[in-house]
């Protein structure tokens, strides 16, 4: 049963998404790169064994679904908002909750989901790929700073 939009999220959140969609896959990869705390679990609904899924494969392919640790199911915008909370990007839910934005996002999401294979992919994916490159660069910098078991980023800066 879908959860209410205002219910607090209990992580981890298992996200069922369409990896065969270039735009969907780019957004999930973007989230994966920022999932440092491991609060999100990703399931490719286009090819995975879905016997434990919260909905039919057809429903999962129509809209992104998320299942929280407490069993609550979030669909569409509600799932995406919680995914971004999971990576610590509270500004995304704050943006979606601006006056008029929640209504617009909930009306626009089904249209985008239905037409995702017909939308021009290049500009959409470019945005995510650019963000993914920045995340990968930050991760490489953190990794290099933590060589030898200690992190330079943990030391006090003078």
């Amino acid at each position: 049963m879908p959860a209410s939009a205002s219910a607090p999220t209990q992580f981890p959140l298992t996200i069922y998404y369409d990896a065969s969609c270039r735009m969907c896959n780019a957004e999930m990869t973007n989230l994966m790169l920022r999932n440092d705390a491991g609060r999100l679990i990703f399931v490719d609904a286009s090819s995975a064994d879905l016997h434990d899924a919260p909905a039919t494969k057809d429903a999962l392919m129509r809209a992104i679904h998320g299942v929280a640790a407490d069993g609550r199911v979030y669909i569409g915008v509600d799932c995406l908002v919680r995914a971004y909370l999971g990576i610590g990007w509270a500004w995304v839910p704050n943006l979606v909750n601006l006056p008029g934005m929640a209504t617009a996002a909930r009306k626009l999401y089904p249209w985008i989901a239905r037409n995702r294979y017909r939308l021009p992919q290049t500009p959409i994916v470019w945005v995510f790929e650019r963000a993914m490159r920045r995340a990968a660069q930050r991760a490489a910098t953190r990794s290099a700073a933590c060589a030898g078991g200690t992190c330079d980023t943990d030391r006090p800066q003078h």
Side-chain angles (χ1 to χ4, degrees), residues 88-134:
W89 282 19
W91 65 269
V92 173
N94 290 341
L95 179 66
V96 171
N97 288 326
L98 287 174
M101 286 296 292
T103 301
R106 283 175 178 75
K107 286 183 178 181
L108 189 58
Y109 177 87
W111 184 87
I112 291 172
R114 267 193 321 275
N115 294 289
R116 66 187 182 270
Y117 293 108
R118 289 181 282 233
L119 294 172
Q121 299 295 304
T122 304
I124 295 167
V125 173
W126 179 78
V127 169
F128 286 114
E129 287 175 354
R130 211 169 147 211
M132 287 185 284
R133 277 194 303 277
R134 283 194 308 266

